[in-house]
């Protein structure tokens, strides 16, 4: 540790896995953490990252500072309007244009939330309006990191894939590979759509000449990506990591061998 960082606390990192509707599981954990500390996630962590639906949560909790209790309500709304008609209806609706419908519903919900938070946080969007007469779009770089304890804003990134490689949508620019493996110039809603664009369930997100899909393939848990990113952030050079809170979305009940063999269908 350098002398410059000798009196600073270690960095706290929050990583949120993909999981569809089960994204309510990490939210329940974060509610408990809020009860214990009296602080929202954006006040507790220096870096918040996520993949797919975990990426949406990272944007809501870290970038837009949606209180965790409100985030639960919003996520339940997403479940009814988006995920239930996306993931849960895929098999019976193979012949319909379900992916396009789900993508449009997700995009609409995200944009509505962004508009509300822009007003609540008094943000100043600088992106080009989607249509003439519309409000400017909020860019990732419009919500830069702010370590001020009176009004903290963590660094946020979400994981997507572009071609065969990983691509990070970041809220900050000061990385040694800025512009090569990620960007902060995209709109917030585009980042949310890109990280959650699960093939077969949602349409790919097209930005310029590139197409982006869900980063879950190989990067479902973004903890390793967070460690690599930590090494690339100049401002954190020499500052240690105090903790990494990596939240999954639960697993199905695992049957023991005895339970399997006690079933009538078990041979022998």
């Amino acid at each position: 540790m350098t002398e410059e960082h000798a009196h600073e606390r270690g960095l706290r990192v929050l990583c949120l896995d993909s999981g569809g509707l089960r994204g309510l599981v990490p939210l329940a954990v974060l509610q408990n953490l809020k009860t214990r500390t009296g602080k929202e996630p954006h006040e507790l962590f220096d870096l918040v990252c996520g993949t797919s639906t975990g990426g949406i949560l990272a944007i809501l909790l870290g970038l837009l500072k949606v209180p965790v209790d409100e985030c639960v309500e919003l996520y339940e709304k997403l479940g009814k309007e988006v995920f239930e008609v996306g993931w849960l209806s895929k098999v019976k609706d193979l012949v319909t244009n379900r992916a396009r419908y789900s993508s449009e519903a997700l995009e609409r919900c995200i944009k509505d939330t962004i508009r509300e938070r822009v007003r609540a946080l008094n943000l100043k969007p600088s992106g080009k309006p989607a249509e003439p007469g519309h409000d400017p779009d909020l860019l990732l770089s419009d919500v830069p990191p702010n370590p001020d304890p009176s009004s903290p804003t963590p660094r946020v990134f979400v994981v997507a894939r572009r071609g065969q490689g990983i691509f990070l949508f970041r809220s900050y620019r000061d990385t040694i590979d800025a512009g090569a493996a990620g960007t902060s110039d995209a709109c917030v809603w585009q980042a949310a759509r890109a990280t959650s664009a699960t093939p077969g369930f949602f349409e790919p997100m097209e930005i310029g000449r590139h197409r982006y899909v869900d980063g879950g393939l190989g990067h479902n848990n973004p903890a390793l990506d967070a460690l690599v990113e930590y090494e690339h952030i100049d401002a954190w050079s020499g500052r240690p990591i105090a903790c990494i809170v990596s939240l999954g979305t639960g697993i199905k009940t695992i049957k023991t061998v005895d339970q399997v063999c006690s079933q009538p269908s078990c041979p022998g």
Side-chain angles (χ1 to χ4, degrees), residues 1 8-16 30 33 37 41 43-49 154-155 222-224 226-227 230 236 239-247:
M1 186 190 308
E8 290 184 291
R9 65 162 174 78
L11 297 163
R12 301 168 183 162
V13 180
L14 175 62
C15 306
L16 299 164
L30 292 172
L33 189 59
T37 64
E43 298 173 299
L44 290 170
F45 296 96
D46 304 287
L47 175 64
V48 179
C49 61
R155 293 172 185 267
L224 181 58
L227 288 174
Y230 159 73
W236 287 349
R239 189 173 171 187
I241 293 178
C243 69
I244 296 179
V245 177
S246 181
L247 299 180

Side-chain angles (χ1 to χ4, degrees), residues 222-239:
L224 181 58
D225 302 303
L227 288 174
V228 173
E229 189 73 351
Y230 159 73
E231 296 288 346
H232 289 174
I233 296 173
D234 291 339
W236 287 349
S237 178
R239 189 173 171 187

Side-chain angles (χ1 to χ4, degrees), residues 5 24 27 55 74 114 121 138 140 142 158 161 167-168 190 201 208 216 228 240 256 264:
H5 298 298
L24 288 169
L27 284 175
L74 178 58
I114 291 171
L121 300 175
L138 184 70
L140 292 166
D142 288 334
V158 299
R161 293 188 70 84
F167 192 89
L168 303 185
Q190 291 175 324
F201 298 101
V228 173
T256 65

Side-chain angles (χ1 to χ4, degrees), residues 16-88:
L16 299 164
D17 288 9
S18 169
L21 285 170
R22 298 197 312 272
L24 288 169
V25 174
L27 284 175
V29 176
L30 292 172
Q31 281 183 308
N32 184 274
L33 189 59
K34 178 188 173 182
T35 299
R36 291 170 178 266
T37 64
K39 295 183 178 182
E40 297 288 348
H42 73 269
E43 298 173 299
L44 290 170
F45 296 96
D46 304 287
L47 175 64
V48 179
C49 61
T51 298
S52 191
T53 49
I56 293 176
L57 291 180
I59 287 172
L60 294 176
L61 295 166
L63 201 68
L64 300 178
K65 302 182 184 180
V66 177
V68 66
D69 292 337
E70 291 182 24
C71 201
V72 170
E73 297 177 6
L74 178 58
Y75 204 81
E76 289 175 342
K77 178 183 177 182
L78 285 174
K80 293 177 182 178
E81 297 186 9
V82 180
F83 301 143
E84 288 182 2
V85 298
W87 277 288
L88 300 185

Side-chain angles (χ1 to χ4, degrees), residues 148-159:
D148 183 350
S150 66
S151 182
T153 303
R155 293 172 185 267
V156 175
F157 76 79
V158 299
V159 184

